[in-house]
Amino acid sequence: DRIGQVGFGSAGPPRWKARASVHYDNGPFRAFFPKRFVGGGKYDVTFVEGVDINDNSISERSYVDLTLQYSVVDTERQRMQLFLTVKNLLNQDPPHSPQNFQTPSQTNTALYDVIGRQFQAGVRFKF
């Protein structure tokens, strides 16, 4: 049973994972705030703390994203929309896992954001 083992390597699924979002629409303006949560757990559920490893715990993380959109033109035949997306708005670092010679990465890259804050901007259109 590897549930809650969120360390690097032979990790299982986190015990808790959630996603919530808030939308705001006002005329041509739209905002979208999703929040991602990955619960904490153990580096390895088979390790005994104090015997096999000093600290077997990995803390939870929450990530907040933001998308802003503005419709410049919005008719049946033509559409033009400007957008800005910021992932990991608060620049939350991933939790660190213990490091050894076989697994040099210090976090589970499948569960946690390892890049940091990212920006994306663009224009969507249909003519």
Side-chain angles (χ1 to χ4, degrees), residues 15-87:
R15 189 167 301 280
W16 295 102
K17 193 172 182 181
R19 185 173 177 94
S21 62
V22 174
H23 297 260
Y24 174 78
D25 290 322
N26 187 2
F29 177 74
R30 169 183 260 176
F32 176 59
F33 297 94
K35 182 173 183 176
R36 301 170 282 140
F37 172 80
V38 179
K42 303 290 183 189
Y43 174 71
D44 189 324
V45 295
T46 63
F47 286 171
V48 176
E49 203 161 309
V51 177
D52 299 314
I53 192 168
N54 288 334
D55 183 8
N56 197 24
S57 63
I58 296 176
S59 60
E60 75 273 348
R61 284 296 184 267
S62 291
Y63 300 104
V64 177
D65 301 335
L66 168 67
T67 297
L68 302 174
Q69 298 176 351
Y70 184 78
S71 295
V72 178
V73 177
D74 193 8
T75 65
E76 191 171 315
R77 297 189 67 193
Q78 297 179 341
R79 289 192 181 112
M80 183 169 148
Q81 188 178 71
L82 307 173
F83 69 91
L84 170 69
T85 299
V86 183
K87 291 185 177 180

Side-chain angles (χ1 to χ4, degrees), residues 90-111:
L90 304 176
N91 201 22
Q92 180 72 32
D93 290 331
H96 291 285
S97 297
Q99 180 179 7
N100 61 41
F101 295 110
Q102 296 165 339
T103 57
S105 178
Q106 292 187 353
T107 194
N108 185 339
T109 58
L111 295 175

